Amino acid sequence: MGRLKTVAASVAAVVCLAACSAQASGAGHSQASDSPASSAMDRIGTPLDSALPASIRDLRFTASDGRTVRLADFAGKTVAISDVMTLCQETCPADTATLVQTARAEDAAGRGSGEVFLSITVDPARDTAAQLAAYRNLFVTPPGNWLALTGTASTVNALWNYLGVWRQKIGEGSGPAPRNWRTNAPLTYDVQHSDEVFFLDGRGHERFVLEGAPYAAKGAVPRTLYDFMDAEGRRGLGAASTTAWTQAQAQKVLAWVSGRSSA
């Protein structure tokens, strides 16, 4: 069974995080001890220990370079998975920027070969391989172990339904429609979604979830995406809230999931 969350549950998770009371959620998920969330000084997410079923590990995604990719391909590696879309005007640019910064920092520390960072779309209809390739190339120079993935609607929905990422497709509001930063085509809809980063260990077990938007400085977001962001999205850059996760915290989670640190 998956861990499909409602909007209310997502909001509750953020409130729980802010109140320093992160708990494991969903059937079959147990609270992990000595996790990055176990300290009263640093509650940053939800520790878990749940094996992904083969049906999820074997889902076939398409990378920005056209390769077929499965989560099962990364057995033995620590995997960070972020839900994004390239045409998001609010938090996705910050999510991706922080994930990329984390990948770069881990690579500089000599740990990149044992870790994989995945940005997987919630908008497969518009996030084609070509769109994802352009998105990835905005982050000059993109880390080699950071992949941007898309897939069929059924594949993408199967993953996010299992992991509990809330999504809702809505029409654009009144006023001029925003345009695709790559093609200049007008956008006729938006996809609202919750923000999480999921961490898998080398066994393919889901071990930790960072929930909510991260802290990202304005300079970390490529200029093309910054110009595309709306006013609310830009306001969020550089203003670290009490519930925002950081690159340092993501690295702490990676260390714990990979067994390099117990807390």
Side-chain angles (χ1 to χ4, degrees):
M1 296 292 290
R3 296 187 299 107
L4 185 61
K5 296 183 290 188
T6 63
V7 181
S10 295
V11 172
V14 174
V15 173
C16 179
L17 178 64
C20 298
S21 59
Q23 299 291 326
S25 61
H29 289 67
S30 59
Q31 181 84 9
S33 62
D34 296 327
S35 74
S38 64
S39 169
M41 296 297 293
D42 195 18
R43 305 267 185 161
I44 58 175
T46 304
L48 307 164
D49 192 357
S50 177
L52 264 65
S55 59
I56 299 299
R57 295 197 312 272
D58 290 334
L59 289 170
R60 293 181 176 272
F61 296 91
T62 302
S64 58
D65 61 4
R67 286 182 293 157
T68 297
V69 173
R70 304 173 306 153
L71 294 180
D73 297 337
F74 307 119
K77 296 188 177 185
T78 303
V79 182
I81 304 172
S82 174
D83 55 288
V84 300
M85 67 177 195
T86 67
L87 298 173
C88 171
Q89 294 185 282
E90 297 171 354
T91 60
C92 289
D95 287 332
T96 304
T98 308
L99 191 74
V100 169
Q101 286 181 313
T102 302
R104 287 174 175 152
E106 288 291 289
D107 191 51
R111 297 186 287 266
S113 62
E115 299 170 346
V116 178
F117 299 83
L118 305 178
S119 292
I120 305 181
T121 187
V122 296
D123 183 20
R126 297 184 299 194
D127 279 342
T128 62
Q131 180 78 14
L132 288 173
Y135 185 73
R136 189 172 179 275
N137 287 333
L138 293 177
F139 293 85
V140 182
T141 300
N145 60 348
W146 169 50
L147 306 180
L149 306 181
T150 189
T152 65
S154 61
T155 293
V156 169
N157 288 335
L159 175 69
W160 295 137
N161 286 347
Y162 177 80
L163 291 176
V165 173
W166 173 79
R167 294 99 61 216
Q168 181 175 340
K169 183 176 178 180
I170 62 171
E172 286 292 348
S174 59
R179 292 179 174 271
N180 187 320
W181 49 263
R182 180 178 73 95
T183 67
N184 203 39
L187 304 181
T188 59
Y189 68 87
D190 191 14
V191 179
Q192 296 180 341
H193 61 95
S194 55
D195 295 301
E196 291 94 2
V197 182
F198 303 90
F199 294 83
L200 312 180
D201 64 17
R203 303 169 298 160
H205 284 216
E206 185 185 359
R207 297 303 311 281
F208 205 88
V209 183
L210 289 173
E211 296 166 302
Y215 165 76
K218 173 182 174 182
V221 176
R223 184 70 196 193
T224 296
L225 294 183
Y226 179 80
D227 290 343
F228 181 70
M229 294 175 79
D230 60 20
E232 182 179 351
R234 292 179 185 177
R235 279 195 299 270
L237 296 177
S241 71
T242 57
T243 59
W245 58 271
T246 66
Q247 172 192 327
Q249 289 170 330
Q251 288 187 264
K252 184 175 183 180
V253 174
L254 288 165
W256 175 73
V257 171
S258 63
R260 299 193 309 270
S261 173
S262 62

